[in-house]
Every structure is written in structure tokens, then in C-alpha cells.
Amino acid sequence: MVQLRVRLKIEMRLICMRKFDSHSIPIRLNLLFSIVILLFMAIIGRLLYMQVLNKDFYETKLASASKTKVTTSSARGEIYDASGKPLVENTVKQVVSFTRNNKMTAADLKETAKKLLAYVGVSSPTLTDRQLADYYLADQDVYKKAVESLPREKRLDSDGNQLSESELYNNTVESIDPSQLAYSDDEKKEIYLFSQLNAVGNFATGTIVTDALTDTQIALIASASKNLPGISISTSWDRKVLETSLSSIVGSVSSEKAGLPAEEAAAYIKKGYSLNDRVGTSYLEKQYEETLQGKRSVKEIHLDKHGNMESVENIEDGTKGNNIKLTIDLSFQDSVDNLLKSYFNSELGNGGAKYSEGVYAVALNPKTGAVLSMSGLKHDLKTGELTPDSLGTVTNVFVPGSVVKAATISSGWENGVLSGNQTLTDQPIVFQGSSPINSWYTQAYGSFPITAVEALEYSSNTYMVQTALGIMGQTYQPNMFVLTNNLESAMGKLRATFAEYGLGASTGIDLPDESTGFIPKEYNFANYITNAFGQFDNYTPMQLAQYVGTIANNGVRIAPHIVEGIYGNNEQGGLGDLIQSIDTKEMNKINISESDVSILQQGFYQVSHGGSALTTGRAFSNGAAVSISGKTGTAESYVNGGQKANNTNAVAYAPSDNPQIAVAVVFPHNTNLTNGVGPSIARDIINLYNQHHPMN
């Protein structure tokens, strides 16, 4: 009975379950169908969105995915002197170029190199071990065997997974012993071509270096293009710097092989350059890179649905870059160069220049900043050889001597130490525990009062020392003890004024990598005092020219510039019409009054025209074609283990009442102490300029 009841209960449960299941099946099916319908509706909605509402957008995106653009640089613009004489030239040539298909394998490149060698010449190729290994591994079977022979740690990582393809390849290359690869001379030529083909990126175009192509070779390569995938004939150029006195400032251009400099590649690419573009790497070529760089040609590579290169379409032709014309006339530049050589050879003849590094001179227009000449003669102390060195005027630094005394007086005015044409006593300066500091004439003439104008005319050291002491907040008393607690502040004030004139600061010249002088961070009180009369900090000839130009230009400092303007190309590809003139750039105004500037100008005038027995620069006026104002400078130094020598320097401008030229001359380490050649050179440069461009 009990068993019967149990059985009945089980059967009832089964019946209920059957009833429940029979009801749940339609519900599940309906839910499933609903989900499927919703998915189909979503897909249809997406298709409607893509194919109807945003049809244009997706068609454009599809088209862009099936094509890519390749740019190629064109010939650079050229550089001319002020008269239109070329300083560089482009030599146009026909070359082999290669556009790489993204589907090309190493084996394909190997085959192309072999075929190409039948059409071109390759003389004495130089190959690296890596190039030999790459060529050897271009055969897939060889590469596979080489990989299999690698030790486990060179194939797999610590977890037993295969290394990345790049790591695996590099390890395989390292395992190859190039000395075991015995290639023939013809095979080495093929390897040379293969390496260049392999260096070209997907869809990029590169120039393949071969021997110069003959007309026959050009024709044969053009006709065999179907059998040489990616190979074509294109126009390239070589950059040649002509032998002139300005060669050193022209600069250089990267090679076809080097392309963009690695350290600047990212910045150039942001500007739209390609990795294989040739760019200026120094001086004018670098400074005016974007002007000289030609307009790139643009080709569009079309791909099929499988991503294979289908066709190449020329979208935009390239054009030669714009040209630049300099402010410097080669004829005047060469005249100055010859003048410097004549003076230097004369000093060599009397033994004075034996230990001199050379002689340098800069001439510029003080009102516009146009550089008129930047001449340098470098003397090799070991060989005695003399070579042109115009670049040295912006890269070499020298002790200036007394030429900077106007800046010291200017600092006195700025810092409230001096007032106008103030009178101070020119006297021996004796600090407690130190030797006397004298002007060159003090011992002969004793102590006497002088003005700021006379301090410049006579080139007083002691006037400058008292001014420097005043900047430190102290007044000179014989045998005084000097407090140096504010030495750093005082030197900062003095140097700040000097920088207003361009001394120890960037001149703003349109050349990269100019020196801003040698301004030591470590110094003592003696260094500070001697700096006040030009015997510590070092400056370039260009800085000294800007300094005197600032005085000539009524206290307005103008940035020097070598380029007069940017020009297009004429029909023959030469110098065309003016596109843009280089504007005059004002750097700053000296922080002194107009009357104070006129005191400096009066002092410079008296240096060359004064009638006193103490007047220091009458050499400026002797034989001058126009009125010259200037300042001499003699910086004492030693050579050859203690022999006395002078830097015989000079700065000048002319005509005094309407300055059109400012000149700086530096003649270092001249042991002929009786001959201050600096002023004479400056005078003769001004006379030369007057011959070319009369200033009266």
C-alpha cells in the first residue's frame, strides 16, 4: 500500500513537469526569435547609417585606404652674393629611382638587383658586414636553416615562446660570419644594389646610387621597366659649394643616403618632410632651409582590394626652391681679405705675427644690420699656412681690450655712478695689498682730472676702475680695503650693460651656432676690475662690430643679417624676382639718455681727431677718405712661454656725422708691441668701402 502511494506521487510529479515544459518551450522560442529580430534590425540600421546617411564619408574612407601618397624632394634654391654671383650650384643628373611595392619580399629585391646590374655600372662598392648578411639571408630556405641552427635562447624567450620576428632576424644576422661568405666581384655589385633597394620603405621612393648613367643606359632602363619592378629614371642633383672667400659660411647639405639628420628627423617630419629628404645641416644652408628646400613632387599609389600596388599617378610636380641673395658683395669681401693678408704678411715679415692665430674683420651697416664683409685669415701655428676663415668672425672669441670702455661708462650711467660728462681724477689706483693700476700715461703725466670724453680719447684705465668700484657701491680712496660681498651683483650689472651692446650676448645674426663669447662663471675681484677695461671676458669680431654699430646708431642695437632677400627663379632656373626683403630687426635700445649717447660719440670722434698728446687713435684719421670715429684696444697677453704680446684691436664707424659702415678688427697675439695695426686696418677697410660705395 505504501509502495503504491509512493509510485502515484512520482507519476503525478512527472505529469506536472511535462505540463510545465510544454508551456515553457514557446516562451523560450519567442524570446530567441525576438533577440534575432532585434539583431537583424540593428544590422539593417547600421547599413542604413553607413550606406545612406553617411555614404560619402565611408566612400572617402574606403578610397583613402586603397591609395597612399609619396613625396619626393626637388632641387634646392641657390645662394648668390649681393651682385648676383653664385656661391653654390646644383648639378642636375639622371639617376635610377626605386618605388617599393608593399608586397615585395627580400627575394624579389634580390632578383631586381640582379636584373638591374645588367643595365648599370657599379664601381668598387664598399659593403658592411650587415649588408653581406642581409643579402645572404634573403633566400628563405637559407634563412629558415639559419634560424633552426640558432641556440634555444636565441629563438625562444624564457616562457618558451618564439621571439618577435625582428629579434629573431637580428639574432640570425649576428650568427652569420661574413668572412665565410665568399662573394665574387659581380655578386658584391649586386649586393650593393640590393642593400639600397632594401633600405627603401614600403611605398617610398629612393635614389639608387650607381655610376653616372649614359644616354644609352637611360633609354634601356626606361624601355625595360616592366622587367624591373619599381625601377624608373628620375632627375636628381648634386650640391657644389663654389670656391670663394665666403665658402665657410655657406654650409652643407645632407647626402641622398643620409637624408634627415637623426637628431632633427622628428621635427622635420612634423613639417611635412620625408626621411630621405636632403636638408641643410650647417650655416646658411641650415638657417634658410625652408626657403631653399624645393617644392616636393607628389605621387599617388593606388592599391587593389588585396593591397597590391596597382598604379602610380603623378599628382603634383615638384619645383626648384627659392634663392637667397646676400648683403655681401664678393668684390668688396675679396678686397678686405687681400687687405688683411697684406697686413698679416707684413707683421710676419717683422716677426710680430709669428704666434698670432690670424686676423679678423667685420664690416656692417649700423642702421640696417646688413653685413658688408666678414673676413678672416687663419694662421696655422704649426705649419704656417694661411687660409680664409670668414666663419671665424662669429665662432672665434678674443680678449677685446680698451675698445669696450664706452660700455663701461654706459654701465656707470645706468647704475647711477656717473652723471653725464663727469670728471674723475686719473690717478694710480692702489688697493690694500695690491700693485698699482695705472693708465698707460699715468707714470709720465701724474694725476689730473679727466672727463668721460677724455677717458675715451686717452683710453684711461683708472677712470674705468673707479666706475667699476662705484658699481660695487664704493668710492676710491688710496690704499683702501675693498669689500667684495656684492661682487657677484656688480659683475652682473656690468655684464648686463655689456649685453645691451651685444657683448656676451647673441647678436641675432641669421646664422646658426654663433658664439656668444666666453663669459667665465668663476671670477674674483681682480677679474671684475680688469673686465671694466676689456681684459677678462672674450667676444667675437661680430659682437664687437655690433657694439660699435650700436654707438653709431644712436644707442639702437640692430641684428646683423647676411641675407638681403629671398628671390624666385627665372625661366632658366637662375636668380629671379624679389619675393621678400629681410627686414631690419631692432634688438634693443641702450638704457641711457640721448645726451649720454652723444658723449660716447664725441669721445669716439676725439679718439681719431683729438689734438692732445694723449689722443690714442689718430691712425684712424691719417689718410682717411672720410671722417672716422673709433676706439683702439690693446689687450696684453703672453706667448711662447712668457714673451709679451698684444691683441691690437679696433672698432670704428664712418662718416662720423652720418654713419654708413661700422668696422671691428681683431689682431691677436702680436709681439710687435710698437705697431698698433688695428686702427690702420679699420681705416683702410673704410676707405675701400668708400671706393665701392662713395659716402661723401
Side-chain angles (χ1 to χ4, degrees):
M1 193 67 180
V2 175
Q3 291 179 349
L4 180 61
R5 287 178 182 171
V6 172
R7 189 179 294 167
L8 286 170
K9 286 180 181 179
I10 291 170
E11 287 179 358
M12 288 298 291
R13 286 178 183 171
L14 290 171
I15 291 168
C16 290
M17 289 175 67
R18 290 193 192 98
K19 288 181 179 179
F20 176 79
D21 292 340
S22 66
H23 287 297
S24 65
I25 288 172
I27 295 172
R28 292 179 179 178
L29 287 173
N30 290 335
L31 182 60
L32 180 62
F33 283 134
S34 298
I35 292 170
V36 172
I37 291 169
L38 287 171
L39 288 173
F40 272 110
M41 288 178 68
I43 292 170
I44 292 168
R46 185 63 179 169
L47 290 172
L48 179 68
Y49 174 81
M50 294 175 64
Q51 297 185 6
V52 179
L53 299 179
N54 284 277
K55 179 183 177 183
D56 293 341
F57 172 79
Y58 284 99
E59 283 184 346
T60 302
K61 194 171 182 179
L62 179 63
S64 64
S66 64
K67 59 188 178 185
T68 186
K69 290 183 178 179
V70 176
T71 62
T72 306
S73 61
S74 302
R76 291 175 74 80
E78 293 172 282
I79 303 173
Y80 298 85
D81 84 330
S83 68
K85 295 177 182 176
L87 303 179
V88 298
E89 65 180 19
N90 295 325
T91 304
V92 179
K93 59 181 181 179
Q94 298 295 101
V95 295
V96 175
S97 65
F98 172 62
T99 302
R100 184 167 181 170
N101 189 320
N102 62 318
K103 300 294 183 178
M104 275 188 164
T105 65
D108 296 331
L109 297 176
K110 193 173 181 179
E111 182 65 23
T112 301
K114 186 176 182 178
K115 291 179 179 178
L116 180 61
L117 187 59
Y119 296 93
V120 300
V122 176
S123 300
S124 305
T126 301
L127 301 172
T128 65
D129 290 347
R130 178 61 185 251
Q131 289 173 321
L132 294 170
D134 285 340
Y135 182 80
Y136 176 71
L137 297 173
D139 187 308
Q140 280 297 315
D141 291 335
V142 172
Y143 177 62
K144 185 178 179 181
K145 289 180 181 178
V147 170
E148 291 173 350
S149 64
L150 290 174
R152 188 179 187 281
E153 65 272 14
K154 296 290 185 179
R155 292 183 289 108
L156 307 174
D157 61 19
S158 57
D159 297 324
N161 299 314
Q162 185 168 296
L163 297 174
S164 67
E165 188 59 36
S166 61
E167 289 178 300
L168 193 61
Y169 185 81
N170 286 332
N171 290 341
T172 308
V173 168
E174 291 174 0
S175 71
I176 305 300
D177 182 2
S179 64
Q180 301 300 312
L181 304 176
Y183 291 113
S184 66
D185 290 342
D186 285 343
E187 286 175 321
K188 288 179 180 179
K189 295 176 182 179
E190 185 181 320
I191 296 169
Y192 183 69
L193 295 175
F194 167 82
S195 299
Q196 295 183 73
L197 298 174
N198 196 35
V200 178
N202 288 338
F203 304 128
T205 299
T207 298
I208 307 304
V209 179
T210 67
D211 294 345
L213 298 176
T214 65
D215 292 341
T216 301
Q217 287 174 317
I218 293 170
L220 289 173
I221 293 170
S223 63
S225 58
K226 290 183 179 180
N227 296 322
L228 297 168
I231 298 295
S232 61
I233 296 295
S234 63
T235 301
S236 186
W237 51 272
D238 287 327
R239 191 72 155 180
K240 182 181 179 182
V241 179
L242 302 178
E243 287 293 331
T244 68
S245 52
L246 295 173
S247 298
S248 63
I249 68 166
V250 169
S252 56
V253 176
S254 61
S255 66
E256 289 178 307
K257 185 177 181 181
L260 301 179
E263 65 277 8
E264 299 174 279
Y268 275 121
I269 289 171
K270 284 183 180 179
K271 296 178 182 179
Y273 284 70
S274 300
L275 281 171
N276 61 344
D277 281 342
R278 302 175 64 184
V279 296
T281 56
S282 61
Y283 303 110
L284 285 173
E285 292 277 19
K286 183 175 183 178
Q287 184 73 27
Y288 288 89
E289 161 58 31
E290 294 186 32
T291 296
L292 296 168
Q293 180 69 230
K295 183 181 178 183
R296 296 165 184 78
S297 63
V298 182
K299 294 180 180 180
E300 194 170 74
I301 299 174
H302 296 267
L303 310 176
D304 62 20
K305 62 182 181 181
H306 303 294
N308 298 310
M309 190 164 69
E310 195 172 57
S311 61
V312 180
E313 182 182 357
N314 191 45
I315 300 299
E316 194 172 346
D317 290 328
T319 55
K320 179 174 173 282
N322 289 324
N323 309 294
I324 58 175
K325 189 165 80 170
L326 306 190
T327 57
I328 303 173
D329 188 324
L330 268 177
S331 60
F332 177 61
Q333 172 80 14
D334 291 342
S335 297
V336 176
D337 281 355
N338 291 332
L339 179 69
L340 295 185
K341 186 179 291 185
S342 175
Y343 270 98
F344 196 84
N345 280 328
S346 177
E347 292 301 301
L348 278 176
N350 64 41
K354 182 179 180 180
Y355 301 103
S356 176
E357 302 95 314
V359 58
Y360 296 87
V362 172
L364 51 79
N365 185 318
K367 297 177 181 178
T368 67
V371 177
L372 306 175
S373 71
M374 43 190 306
S375 298
L377 187 67
K378 185 178 181 180
H379 179 216
D380 190 315
L381 297 179
K382 292 182 178 179
T383 65
E385 183 183 8
L386 299 177
T387 54
D389 185 26
S390 57
L391 189 59
T393 58
V394 293
T395 59
N396 296 347
V397 298
F398 306 92
V399 180
S402 298
V403 296
V404 303
K405 287 177 177 175
T408 301
I409 293 174
S410 187
S411 192
W413 289 326
E414 285 189 16
N415 292 288
V417 176
L418 300 174
S419 178
N421 196 24
Q422 186 171 335
T423 297
L424 297 177
T425 301
D426 194 307
Q427 59 188 311
I429 304 296
V430 181
F431 298 118
Q432 195 175 102
S434 70
S435 300
I437 300 174
N438 295 300
S439 298
W440 65 271
Y441 49 81
T442 306
Q443 290 179 319
Y445 288 82
S447 301
F448 60 96
I450 60 171
T451 63
V453 169
E454 290 170 328
L456 292 172
E457 180 185 352
Y458 306 160
S459 198
S460 171
N461 285 346
T462 67
Y463 196 101
M464 307 305 146
V465 172
Q466 292 175 74
T467 301
L469 196 63
I471 296 173
M472 291 182 69
Q474 299 173 67
T475 302
Y476 175 69
Q477 300 292 331
N479 206 39
M480 67 182 290
F481 178 80
V482 180
L483 299 173
T484 59
N485 54 305
N486 63 347
L487 175 62
E488 185 176 348
S489 172
M491 180 67 102
K493 291 175 181 178
L494 183 65
R495 284 175 167 172
T497 303
F498 279 33
E500 292 178 20
Y501 290 89
L503 301 173
S506 171
T507 64
I509 192 170
D510 52 348
L511 278 177
D513 306 321
E514 73 157 329
S515 172
T516 55
F518 176 62
I519 317 297
K521 293 181 180 180
E522 302 292 329
Y523 50 84
N524 55 33
F525 173 70
N527 300 140
Y528 168 69
I529 290 297
T530 57
N531 203 39
F533 49 88
Q535 298 273 10
F536 186 58
D537 291 347
N538 291 212
Y539 311 117
T540 68
M542 184 63 70
Q543 288 177 314
L544 293 173
Q546 187 180 54
Y547 156 74
V548 71
T550 302
I551 295 171
N553 196 37
N554 300 317
V556 179
R557 182 165 75 107
I558 303 297
H561 60 93
I562 303 173
V563 174
E564 174 265 322
I566 298 169
Y567 289 76
N569 296 282
N570 59 24
E571 293 181 356
Q572 292 75 40
L575 190 65
D577 296 330
L578 176 66
I579 296 174
Q580 178 188 342
S581 296
I582 302 301
D583 296 330
T584 297
K585 180 182 177 183
E586 181 180 312
M587 299 295 287
N588 60 269
K589 293 181 179 177
I590 305 303
N591 190 28
I592 58 176
S593 67
E594 290 183 9
S595 60
D596 286 340
V597 173
S598 68
I599 290 172
L600 298 180
Q601 293 172 339
Q602 185 183 348
F604 274 41
Y605 181 85
Q606 287 296 115
V607 166
S608 58
H609 296 89
S612 169
L614 303 181
T615 301
T616 52
R618 276 194 290 269
F620 285 126
S621 294
N622 295 334
V626 295
S627 176
I628 299 174
S629 296
K631 183 74 186 76
T632 61
T634 304
E636 296 177 357
S637 58
Y638 297 90
V639 296
N640 192 34
Q643 185 178 353
K644 277 190 174 183
N646 287 330
N647 286 11
T648 52
N649 308 329
V651 296
Y653 60 86
S656 297
D657 59 349
N658 181 29
Q660 297 173 49
I661 181 173
V663 177
V665 177
V666 176
F667 197 136
H669 298 124
N670 189 353
T671 56
N672 182 13
L673 306 181
T674 61
N675 189 6
V677 294
S680 299
I681 295 174
R683 176 203 63 212
D684 288 353
I685 290 174
I686 292 170
N687 285 347
L688 277 173
Y689 187 73
N690 189 61
Q691 291 174 15
H692 288 79
H693 306 278
M695 295 182 287
N696 289 322

